[in-house]
Amino acid sequence: MSIFRSLKHYNYRLFFTGQAVSLIGTWMQRVAVSWLVYRLTESAFLLGLMTFLSLIPSLILAPLAGSYVDRHNKYKILVITQILLMLQAGALAAMIWFKVYDMFWIAALSLMQGLVNAFDVTARQSLMVNLIDDKEDLPNAIALNSSMFNVTRLIGPALAGVILSTLGEDICFLINFISFIGVLVCMMMMKLKPTAQPKSKENIWIDLKKGYDYLTASPDLSSMILMMAASSLLVIPFTTLLPVFAKDIFSGDITTFSWFESAAGLGAFFGAIYLASRKIGENMQKIVIISGTLLAVAVMALAISPTLITALICTALAALGLMAQTSSINTYLQTHADDVMRGRTLSYYIMAYQGVLPVGSLLMGYFAHQFGTQIVVAFEGVAGLLIVGAFVYYEKHRSHVKDKLSFMG
């Protein structure tokens, strides 16, 4: 089927398989950490704090990581980061195995994960283009990667719900540690063509400025990144508050929380499958606008959901919109950025997504603690509609100016 066409590429097929195995463990660990923290502290603020610590390094380090990745071998960077993430998972597993429920060390390991991920995600995204022999298949590979990410988001939390209720958090962390073996084995089997890595003689800070200047001169790219940043700050943090919906609003347990995570994974999976079927020439701006609107409306509906079933449906629809929005922005950037600037361009995308998200999670966690979760989530939905409106206005204004300049020329 054409929807799986990028899997015909040997290196991408190995990459896809290894990541699928590892991400099931990663999602199990995320659910276990969120539930453990909320079970021990019953604090929405601490939930936001853990997300903040695991993602904030991307805000600070992403541009530096992008410049570093553009200068060095992406494959080697990815192998090193996967090994470090495996060690982080092992340390967390050992700590929980010995019943060391110390929020400081859980926070410290979350911060370590964030530091490594700042380089790992940039290297992984930048390496994608080298795994596909036919560049026409790149958008499909990106979308399939997103669908795999969300299939594992569907499976991981479901498994976590069963294991947490029967065997405990430590087994979830142990499974995540073991799952990294799959990624490393698949990476060792890859047959990448040796490419001469251009060695920049300029200071890395000059490289960083070049990336910023490039985006400033490319309003079509920068507008996408700014929209991603605004959504990450004001809308996407609703995902951090799902344990509160599960435990407090609908009086559930870990199984209820796993339903929310799996509903989000199911919705995001369908969003990714839809994008995988699109062609390279599709109007990505239109998809960004429609998906952003769906995300905002679904988040507002989640805030006022009267029943658990309604809330799960709204969560799935919100995740569908979120998946389509982030994946279409990612695809647009990868297919429109210059080759020499791709790593730096993607690093700003990662900064806008994973870097700004922890700030939003911390803010929304604090406001949820002060004013109530449902009020804050409703505000996030309204903010999402305003962000989409601002993006539409900017794109129309930019198109009008471009047409005017073209006519004058």
Side-chain angles (χ1 to χ4, degrees), residues 64-74 77 196-208 340 343-344:
L64 179 65
S67 185
Y68 183 86
V69 166
D70 278 341
R71 289 165 170 246
H72 296 85
N73 187 305
K74 300 174 180 65
I77 294 173
Q197 202 67 29
K199 294 289 184 182
S200 175
K201 296 180 180 179
E202 294 179 330
N203 185 288
I204 195 167
W205 300 108
I206 295 176
D207 265 1
L208 285 174
V340 293
R344 274 163 281 189

Side-chain angles (χ1 to χ4, degrees), residues 152-219:
T152 58
R153 184 177 183 175
L154 181 64
I155 297 170
L159 286 175
V162 173
I163 292 173
L164 284 170
S165 60
T166 55
L167 301 175
E169 292 105 346
D170 49 356
I171 302 301
C172 285
F173 299 136
L174 182 61
I175 290 173
N176 183 42
F177 169 74
I178 295 171
S179 71
F180 279 99
I181 297 173
V183 154
L184 293 172
V185 168
C186 286
M187 291 199 69
M188 297 303 174
M189 292 172 64
M190 286 183 183
K191 298 175 182 176
L192 291 174
K193 296 176 183 178
T195 54
Q197 202 67 29
K199 294 289 184 182
S200 175
K201 296 180 180 179
E202 294 179 330
N203 185 288
I204 195 167
W205 300 108
I206 295 176
D207 265 1
L208 285 174
K209 187 176 184 303
K210 281 185 176 180
Y212 175 81
D213 291 341
Y214 173 71
L215 288 175
T216 303
S218 308

Side-chain angles (χ1 to χ4, degrees), residues 33-45 47 243-244 247-248:
V33 168
S34 292
W35 187 255
L36 177 67
V37 170
Y38 197 66
R39 177 174 67 81
L40 295 175
T41 67
E42 295 190 347
S43 170
F45 174 73
L47 267 180
V244 183
K247 188 172 186 293
D248 293 345

Side-chain angles (χ1 to χ4, degrees), residues 267-268 271 287-288 290-292 294-295 316-326:
I287 297 176
V288 167
I290 294 173
S291 58
L294 174 61
L295 169 62
L317 290 173
L320 192 158
L322 173 58
M323 177 69 259
Q325 182 189 60
T326 56

Side-chain angles (χ1 to χ4, degrees), residues 381-395:
V382 173
L385 288 177
L386 294 175
I387 291 167
V388 171
F391 180 77
V392 170
Y393 174 81
Y394 176 80
E395 286 297 312

Side-chain angles (χ1 to χ4, degrees), residues 224-237 352 356 383-384 387:
M224 290 277 191
I225 291 174
L226 287 173
M227 185 186 191
M228 189 74 262
S231 293
S232 296
L233 181 67
L234 300 174
V235 188
I236 303 175
V356 175
I387 291 167

Side-chain angles (χ1 to χ4, degrees), residues 186-317:
C186 286
M187 291 199 69
M188 297 303 174
M189 292 172 64
M190 286 183 183
K191 298 175 182 176
L192 291 174
K193 296 176 183 178
T195 54
Q197 202 67 29
K199 294 289 184 182
S200 175
K201 296 180 180 179
E202 294 179 330
N203 185 288
I204 195 167
W205 300 108
I206 295 176
D207 265 1
L208 285 174
K209 187 176 184 303
K210 281 185 176 180
Y212 175 81
D213 291 341
Y214 173 71
L215 288 175
T216 303
S218 308
D220 60 321
L221 303 180
S222 57
S223 64
M224 290 277 191
I225 291 174
L226 287 173
M227 185 186 191
M228 189 74 262
S231 293
S232 296
L233 181 67
L234 300 174
V235 188
I236 303 175
F238 86 91
T239 57
T240 304
L241 299 172
L242 290 180
V244 183
F245 276 89
K247 188 172 186 293
D248 293 345
I249 296 173
F250 294 105
S251 304
D253 53 17
I254 180 57
T255 302
T256 314
F257 177 40
S258 71
W259 290 346
F260 272 97
E261 289 289 348
S262 294
L266 183 63
F269 170 68
F270 282 112
I273 288 297
Y274 166 75
L275 286 172
S277 65
R278 300 296 90 194
K279 296 179 181 178
I280 194 169
E282 289 278 346
N283 187 337
M284 286 297 167
Q285 286 98 332
K286 184 178 179 181
I287 297 176
V288 167
I289 292 167
I290 294 173
S291 58
T293 303
L294 174 61
L295 169 62
V297 172
V299 167
M300 280 193 291
L302 171 64
I304 59 174
S305 293
T307 66
L308 176 59
I309 295 296
T310 309
L312 291 173
I313 293 171
C314 291
T315 300
L317 290 173

